Amino acid sequence: SGHVSCNSYDQCTCYMESAQNASDWKGLSNAAEWTGADCSLRTCARGISWTTVATHEAPSVADEAVLLSGMCDHAEEAECSDQGICDRATGICSCFAGYEGSSCQRTACPNDCSGH
């Protein structure tokens, strides 16, 4: 696919995202830009998840609280913010109704905010 590097043991790694310099990342992870067995599928923009549920007692990413199992939380860097479907051919999120943005990261304004 041209989006992969392999070693002499045929262990392959898909290419990662890159920034102009390290300060551009501001603490975000350097995630794979391509996915799939042959690294031919695009990944989509990521944002904070709208719908993650805590599975064990853990600190919340949203605030200083400790969440118990079953409580709502927000995972960081979820593809399409868990509110859309990633088109693997283009790398563009198709957001569910009520969400918009490159990673479905914001709620849509009803009736186009009445023109405001």
Side-chain angles (χ1 to χ4, degrees), residues 4-39:
V4 62
S5 60
C6 299
N7 65 21
S8 59
Y9 299 104
D10 285 334
Q11 295 170 322
C12 300
T13 302
C14 297
Y15 288 155
M16 306 295 277
E17 296 174 330
S18 60
Q20 294 298 318
N21 59 57
S23 64
D24 288 347
W25 289 102
K26 297 183 174 87
L28 299 176
S29 67
N30 186 12
E33 187 171 0
W34 300 90
T35 190
D38 63 353
C39 300

Side-chain angles (χ1 to χ4, degrees), residues 42-60:
R42 295 293 308 255
T43 59
C44 283
R46 293 175 310 282
I48 295 176
S49 170
W50 289 90
T51 57
T52 299
V53 177
T55 55
H56 60 281
E57 191 171 313
S60 170

